[in-house]
């Protein structure tokens, strides 16, 4: 996802200048259709079956406390990450007078560096670092760097904190998605559990940036939204600790 996002951010100005936003939209839609066709042609259908109805799969999955903790941790991560992605262009253009091109490059760097965080999460898990530590550590790092980027520090420090925010928080997705097979009730429940995590991401992308922007508009600027960001970071840490607790129960 961050790789695709970075490419889109870098190529969009050229495409907009050549084809306009409608042409860009149509090109992306055509690419999505191509991906769907390749998926149907190249990916074999599932062979496991299982005979479990969809409603039962959903009911049994949403009652798994470990799965809900994964969803909570991922919601906090995605909500914070997308909120900052929304805030960065406004900050550098409207508050610091930078050009739109500079804002686009900074935003591309913010998205691109998240790739290394995603990879780092996998490296940490492979090295034997417990999943809950990766989740809680990533959430705590987002809280710490959030203090720097939403403070009155110099611009260079705030930008450095924004990039650190993206790369350090980026370890969380690897921990979350590697945890769905562990916390799913059975192999047939893994798809439903992944769906829960994905839908929690979509919900947070819709709700949390609006909430943070509302707080900023009512309380006197983006710095005022730090309380919301820190609250989300704390919830993310608690969710990570809860995941570790539930996994210790499963291991008994």
């Amino acid at each position: 996802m961050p790789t695709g996002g970075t490419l889109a951010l870098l190529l969009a100005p050229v495409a907009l200048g050549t084809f306009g936003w409608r042409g860009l939209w149509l090109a992306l839609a055509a690419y999505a259709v191509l991906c769907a066709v390749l998926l149907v042609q190249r990916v074999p259908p599932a062979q496991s079956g299982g005979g479990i109805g969809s409603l039962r799969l959903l009911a049994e999955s949403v009652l798994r406390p470990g799965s809900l903790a994964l969803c909570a941790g991922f919601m906090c991560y995605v909500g914070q990450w997308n909120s900052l992605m929304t805030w960065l262009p406004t900050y550098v253009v409207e508050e610091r007078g930078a050009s739109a091109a500079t804002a686009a490059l900074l935003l591309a760097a913010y998205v691109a560096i998240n790739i290394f965080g995603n990879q780092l999460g996998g490296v940490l898990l492979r090295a034997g670092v417990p999943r809950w530590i990766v989740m809680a550590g990533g959430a705590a790092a987002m809280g710490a760097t959030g203090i720097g980027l939403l403070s009155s520090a110099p611009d260079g420090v705030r930008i450095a904190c924004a990039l650190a925010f993206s790369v350090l928080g980026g370890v969380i997705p690897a921990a979350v998605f590697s945890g769905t097979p562990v916390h799913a009730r059975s192999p047939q429940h893994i798809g439903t559990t992944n769906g829960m995590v994905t839908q929690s991401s979509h919900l947070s992308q819709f709700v949390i940036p609006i909430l943070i922007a509302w707080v900023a508009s009512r309380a006197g600027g983006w710095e005022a939204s730090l309380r919301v960001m820190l609250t989300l970071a704390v919830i993310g840490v608690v969710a990570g600790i809860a995941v570790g607790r539930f996994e210790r129960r499963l291991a008994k």
Side-chain angles (χ1 to χ4, degrees):
M1 284 184 67
T3 302
T6 303
L7 289 173
L9 287 168
L10 293 175
L11 296 176
V14 177
L16 288 172
T18 306
F19 307 109
W21 71 266
R22 290 179 178 84
L24 177 61
W25 190 93
L26 290 172
L28 292 174
Y31 178 70
V33 172
L34 174 62
C35 290
V37 171
L38 291 174
L39 182 69
V40 172
Q41 291 181 343
R42 301 294 182 180
V43 179
Q47 301 296 324
S48 58
I52 304 177
S54 299
L55 291 179
R56 179 183 167 189
L57 283 172
L58 179 61
E60 292 176 346
S61 296
V62 298
L63 295 177
R64 301 285 289 182
S67 299
L68 293 176
L70 290 174
C71 290
F74 200 54
M75 284 184 71
C76 293
Y77 159 74
V78 171
Q80 291 182 86
W81 193 86
N82 278 275
S83 296
L84 182 57
M85 185 175 66
T86 304
W87 166 77
L88 268 178
T90 302
Y91 169 73
V92 297
V93 174
E94 296 186 5
E95 297 187 21
R96 288 297 180 265
S99 65
T102 300
L105 289 174
L106 177 59
L107 189 57
Y110 173 79
V111 177
I113 202 170
N114 188 251
I115 300 170
F116 300 99
N118 297 164
Q119 298 298 321
L120 176 60
V123 170
L124 293 173
L125 293 169
R126 190 178 303 156
V129 178
R131 182 175 296 102
W132 76 269
I133 291 181
V134 176
M135 288 183 63
M142 293 180 81
T145 53
I147 294 174
L149 67 91
L150 290 174
S151 67
S152 57
D155 290 348
V157 173
R158 299 178 76 173
I159 291 173
C161 286
L163 297 177
F165 179 94
S166 182
V167 70
L168 296 176
V171 303
I172 295 175
V176 170
F177 281 102
S178 68
T180 55
V182 176
H183 292 274
R185 180 170 178 171
S186 73
Q188 287 73 38
H189 290 77
I190 294 175
T192 308
T193 306
N194 278 324
M196 288 170 53
V197 172
T198 302
Q199 292 302 323
S200 69
S201 167
H202 295 163
L203 178 63
S204 67
Q205 289 180 58
F206 178 74
V207 173
I208 294 177
I210 296 175
L211 172 63
I212 290 178
W214 181 82
V215 171
S217 65
R218 292 300 182 94
W222 291 107
E223 289 80 2
S225 61
L226 178 60
R227 293 189 295 272
V228 181
M229 299 285 278
L230 289 178
T231 299
L232 292 170
V234 170
I235 295 174
V237 171
V238 172
I241 294 173
V243 165
R245 180 179 179 183
F246 295 133
E247 289 186 359
R248 286 191 291 272
R249 289 182 181 179
L250 292 173
K252 292 181 179 180

